[in-house]
Amino acid sequence: MSADNVKLGHELSEAVAALLINLPIKAASFIVTIYGDVIEPRGGVVWIGNLIETCKSVGITETLVRTAVSRLVAAGRLAGEREGRRSFYRLTEAAQAEFVEAASLFYGPQPAVRWQFVLINGPAPEEIMQGLEREGFARLNPRLAVGTHPAPPLPGRVVVFDAQLATENGALREFAEEAWNLPRFAEAYGEFIARFGSFFERVGNCAALSPFDCLIARLLLVHQYRLIMLREPHLPKSALPDNWPGEEAGRLFAELYLRLSKKADGYVARRFVNESGKLPEMTPASQARLDHLKAR
């Protein structure tokens, strides 16, 4: 039997198990969530057995975990290391920088709006355009996109323009309604609020939840919030419809994250390991996340 095999079983509470109803989860995406929430602020390295154990509780098999990790290695996101008979996986430098930037969206203050236009030159602009749309940019024509944050590194011949908003009136809201599919994001936020708002009502201060329950609930919370936050355009309030559900979702995320974190972080410190030993319960990076959420 491999030293990486994990036979531990954890039965989730009814409240946490209910979060998984009608919630399909892809292995690679959930592993990215684990790294982003738990591993990156604690050095970026973890034993694969911890990934297997954690993923098992949400219905992801060991085989799927190992396949997903191999693909993340091939994509340059993770790098494998051996220590005796155990396998550890480290975030690559590029992935770590990307994770830090993404974390600021979830745990940091409200991001500043920085309007940018991206002009795509050369042949076959569609692939680049689709990548921009996945980053929350809006397609204005086949070669021109606009967004409210710096464009990611782009292949091919592109020209990026910084822009300053000269007027802020009803026309901006009309433009946003035409350029972005805001109802899609509003619906996603609504589903997030319904799922985790119901969970919040059931668990209250989380006293009845086990530490493992708290960790899994927090990972599911981050996972679902991340899927929306990395794709939505992050428009200024003046460009959004009235009663935009993103604000309520942000408050719910912060409150639940804070309530779940004491037990969740305690479980991490007892069970998660890297090549040097157990991961710390708290680091300056993980504490900064809590402090930012408290200040919201």
Side-chain angles (χ1 to χ4, degrees):
M1 180 184 297
S2 165
D4 284 335
N5 284 351
V6 177
K7 299 300 182 185
L8 294 175
H10 291 276
E11 186 171 340
L12 296 175
S13 69
E14 184 181 342
V16 178
L19 289 173
L20 292 164
I21 297 173
N22 297 322
L23 191 69
I25 298 177
K26 294 182 179 178
S29 183
F30 193 67
I31 289 169
V32 166
T33 294
I34 296 171
Y35 269 91
D37 186 50
V38 176
I39 313 305
E40 187 279 323
R42 293 173 174 84
V45 186
V46 75
W47 174 43
I48 194 174
N50 292 133
L51 299 178
I52 293 168
E53 175 190 13
T54 306
C55 289
K56 180 180 178 182
S57 67
V58 299
I60 300 170
T61 66
E62 179 175 341
T63 299
L64 287 174
V65 171
R66 292 184 182 277
T67 299
V69 166
S70 295
R71 289 174 178 167
L72 289 168
V73 170
R77 313 269 286 173
L78 297 178
E81 303 173 354
R82 296 286 297 185
E83 186 73 26
R85 296 174 62 201
R86 284 185 163 187
S87 300
F88 299 86
Y89 287 88
R90 172 188 301 275
L91 284 169
T92 61
E93 270 189 42
Q96 189 132 10
E98 185 181 322
F99 276 45
V100 169
E101 184 177 347
S104 66
L105 277 179
F106 320 139
Y107 315 107
Q110 186 71 18
V113 174
R114 179 179 165 186
W115 291 96
Q116 283 199 334
F117 289 87
V118 179
L119 177 64
I120 306 169
N121 289 318
E126 182 60 23
E127 184 177 349
I128 298 174
M129 181 62 74
Q130 289 181 8
L132 285 167
E133 289 178 320
R134 286 192 293 271
E135 294 281 342
F137 278 67
R139 179 192 304 243
L140 299 181
N141 66 42
R143 293 184 178 275
L144 183 64
V146 63
T148 62
H149 54 278
L154 297 167
R157 300 199 301 272
V158 300
V159 182
V160 179
F161 301 90
D162 277 321
Q164 184 173 354
L165 191 65
T167 58
E168 207 161 348
N169 52 35
L172 178 63
R173 183 173 293 190
E174 291 175 10
F175 167 70
E177 289 175 351
E178 292 179 4
W180 283 276
N181 186 357
L182 294 181
R184 177 167 68 95
F185 294 111
E187 181 181 2
Y189 276 130
E191 291 173 356
F192 175 88
I193 292 166
R195 185 180 299 273
F196 289 97
S198 175
F199 173 74
F200 196 2
E201 290 176 2
R202 293 183 69 174
V203 302
N205 63 5
C206 305
L209 296 180
S210 72
F212 187 72
D213 274 331
C214 287
L215 174 62
I216 298 304
R218 192 178 77 177
L219 286 170
L220 292 172
L221 176 78
V222 173
H223 188 68
Q224 292 307 112
Y225 195 60
R226 176 176 74 88
L227 293 179
I228 308 171
M229 287 289 283
L230 291 182
R231 291 169 173 80
E232 79 119 294
H234 302 289
L235 295 166
K237 190 171 182 178
S238 57
L240 292 168
D242 294 331
N243 302 315
W244 179 246
E247 294 183 15
E248 182 181 351
R251 290 191 295 268
L252 176 61
F253 173 83
E255 184 64 30
L256 254 182
Y257 192 96
L258 291 169
R259 293 197 180 205
L260 292 164
S261 284
K262 184 172 181 58
K263 287 184 178 180
D265 290 333
Y267 183 88
V268 169
R270 288 191 297 276
R271 300 291 309 180
F272 280 59
V273 295
N274 60 22
E275 72 274 39
S276 302
K278 293 182 178 180
L279 297 189
E281 180 171 351
M282 196 64 59
T283 65
S286 63
Q287 183 62 55
R289 293 179 176 187
L290 299 179
D291 292 342
H292 281 308
L293 292 176
K294 288 175 186 175
R296 280 190 179 179

